[in-house]
Amino acid sequence: MSPWSWFLLQTLCLLPTGAAQRRGAPGAANCELKPQQSELNSFLWTIKRDPPSYFFGTIHVPYTRVWDFIPDNSKEAFLQSSTVYFELDLTDPYTISALTSCQMLPQGKNLQDVLPKDIYCRLKRHLEYVKLMMPLWMTPDQRGKGLYADYLFNAIAGNWERKRPVWVMLMVNSLTEVDIKSRGVPVLDLFLAQEAERLRKQTGAVEKVEEQCHPLNGLNFSQVIFALNQTLLQQESLRAGSLQIPYTTEDLIKHYNCGDLSSVILSHDSSQVPNFINATLPPQELITAQEIDSYLRRELIYKRNERIGKRVKALLEEFPDKGFFFAFGAASQ
């Protein structure tokens, strides 16, 4: 799932494992590193105890794009740990059900009832464009696996008229050619969860769905409308060829594979919540963007990390004889 600050690094005694030789290292030759390659971070921290426990920083992209660059020491730590914890239990059907329920408007309400007419029409037009383009965006490999464009569109955007505007905004933000091409391959977090289950490790989660979901639903209506409008403006500009996104998924993958933990680009993998702060915005809209950014940082980073930190600390104290492997988002904000 999404990356967050490492509050835990301040509450527990951690030892960075440092650089490690990566299998498949040829791709690392393309890294624009600074200043020394010896300072690369392996995204693995060790907690001093017997047996040791670990924190591993994940990234929300298809695991096949990063797996060969994850150091052997990280993979070995995963294999040796008897208990693996994630942010959410990604293999529990209740998690998916609760996430779906959380995103829905109150019973009897539709998006057309709550959105301004012009924004609703632009949204509908953009989704029609995505549906038209999706067959062209899909890869031969996806088709070989039996994925069809209509099925994929419905899996992502089905029932969109019943969703709360904030979740529609996030959906629109992820309905891009790059994201569509990656569908059908588990993201790194889910892959690790499936592996842990296959290896019959004990698994758990440090969060409840509601704790991730409710803060987004807590944005006020004017903030959500602003965010949806800005997201649509961005997508419309991309379609017109008048905008290039400064940070792409490819950039994110490259920096992760290069072990560049300090790079600001990793902060752009935050729950797919776009950054709306733009110096070209009119003063009042800039204030709204700053208010949204401040609210999300407070709710989804600072409060959330403090809560997670306390739960991890409690687990380690309650089970001193267990070797834990905590797989959380790597980005530091």
Side-chain angles (χ1 to χ4, degrees):
M1 301 247 89
S2 332
W4 311 99
S5 300
W6 284 84
F7 166 83
L8 307 171
L9 296 179
Q10 302 170 18
T11 60
L12 295 165
C13 181
L14 303 181
L15 294 175
T17 57
Q21 184 62 40
R22 284 167 167 71
R23 275 203 304 248
N30 299 320
C31 298
E32 298 167 5
L33 300 171
K34 34 178 175 173
Q36 297 178 8
Q37 291 210 3
S38 62
E39 294 178 6
L40 284 179
N41 197 297
S42 64
F43 298 102
L44 183 73
W45 287 263
T46 303
I47 305 171
K48 288 197 299 186
R49 51 190 257 141
D50 188 18
S53 287
Y54 303 94
F55 285 112
F56 175 63
T58 62
I59 183 175
H60 196 64
V61 300
Y63 83 95
T64 50
R65 300 297 310 279
V66 297
W67 188 249
D68 285 345
F69 293 91
I70 292 174
D72 289 340
N73 62 352
S74 299
K75 295 174 181 176
E76 189 61 30
F78 174 75
L79 290 173
Q80 288 180 357
S81 301
S82 60
T83 307
V84 184
Y85 265 70
F86 301 92
E87 292 169 5
L88 292 174
D89 186 348
L90 304 176
T91 60
D92 183 358
Y94 169 78
T95 300
I96 309 305
S97 172
L99 279 170
T100 302
S101 175
C102 177
Q103 295 177 21
M104 293 300 169
L105 285 163
Q107 193 64 34
K109 288 278 187 182
N110 286 307
L111 208 52
Q112 192 169 7
D113 303 326
V114 298
L115 286 182
K117 186 175 180 181
D118 63 321
I119 289 184
Y120 177 81
C121 291
R122 286 167 57 210
L123 170 63
K124 194 170 182 181
R125 192 157 56 243
H126 180 68
L127 292 178
E128 287 169 354
Y129 163 80
V130 169
K131 189 169 185 178
L132 184 68
M133 294 300 294
M134 198 171 279
L136 303 176
W137 289 349
M138 292 183 66
T139 66
D141 187 54
Q142 286 173 317
R143 294 191 191 93
K145 291 177 180 176
L147 278 178
Y148 295 97
D150 283 349
Y151 169 81
L152 198 53
F153 181 84
N154 288 328
I156 301 168
N159 212 17
W160 63 270
E161 298 209 42
R162 286 277 299 115
K163 290 188 175 184
R164 294 175 183 267
V166 68
W167 295 98
V168 171
M169 179 270 291
L170 295 177
M171 179 191 77
V172 169
N173 199 53
S174 69
L175 278 171
T176 63
E177 182 174 357
V178 171
D179 283 290
I180 295 305
K181 287 181 184 301
S182 71
R183 294 283 173 159
V185 179
V187 294
L188 180 57
D189 311 66
L190 179 56
F191 172 72
L192 289 173
Q194 292 171 341
E195 280 294 284
E197 198 171 62
R198 183 181 69 82
L199 296 169
R200 301 191 177 182
K201 294 180 180 291
Q202 184 179 342
T203 60
V206 294
E207 284 191 287
K208 300 172 183 174
V209 168
E210 294 75 18
E211 291 170 335
Q212 282 202 9
C213 199
H214 288 171
L216 283 167
N217 288 346
L219 287 166
N220 68 46
F221 185 70
S222 62
Q223 290 172 330
V224 172
I225 295 302
F226 167 82
L228 179 55
N229 180 55
Q230 289 298 312
T231 300
L232 285 171
L233 284 172
Q234 183 186 72
Q235 294 303 320
E236 288 160 355
S237 297
L238 287 169
R239 281 166 51 189
S242 59
L243 174 71
Q244 276 194 325
I245 296 177
Y247 298 106
T248 66
T249 302
E250 292 301 315
D251 295 323
L252 183 69
I253 291 169
K254 176 182 174 182
H255 281 269
Y256 186 82
N257 286 344
C258 289
D260 190 1
L261 180 63
S262 63
S263 174
V264 68
I265 199 170
L266 282 176
S267 69
H268 290 261
D269 188 34
S270 295
S271 187
Q272 293 182 309
V273 178
N275 182 3
F276 301 110
I277 297 178
N278 187 324
T280 63
L281 289 172
Q284 191 54 49
E285 291 189 2
L286 184 59
I287 290 172
T288 301
Q290 290 168 337
E291 287 173 348
I292 293 173
D293 183 72
S294 177
Y295 171 82
L296 292 177
R297 284 183 177 276
R298 184 174 66 252
E299 295 295 326
L300 296 181
I301 298 175
Y302 305 129
K303 286 185 180 180
R304 184 169 180 252
N305 286 335
E306 183 173 0
R307 183 172 65 240
I308 290 175
K310 288 177 178 176
R311 289 174 184 171
V312 167
K313 188 169 182 287
L315 280 168
L316 294 171
E317 290 173 347
E318 185 178 355
F319 303 104
D321 299 328
K322 280 190 177 181
F324 285 89
F325 185 94
F326 297 101
F328 300 154
S332 178
Q333 300 198 22

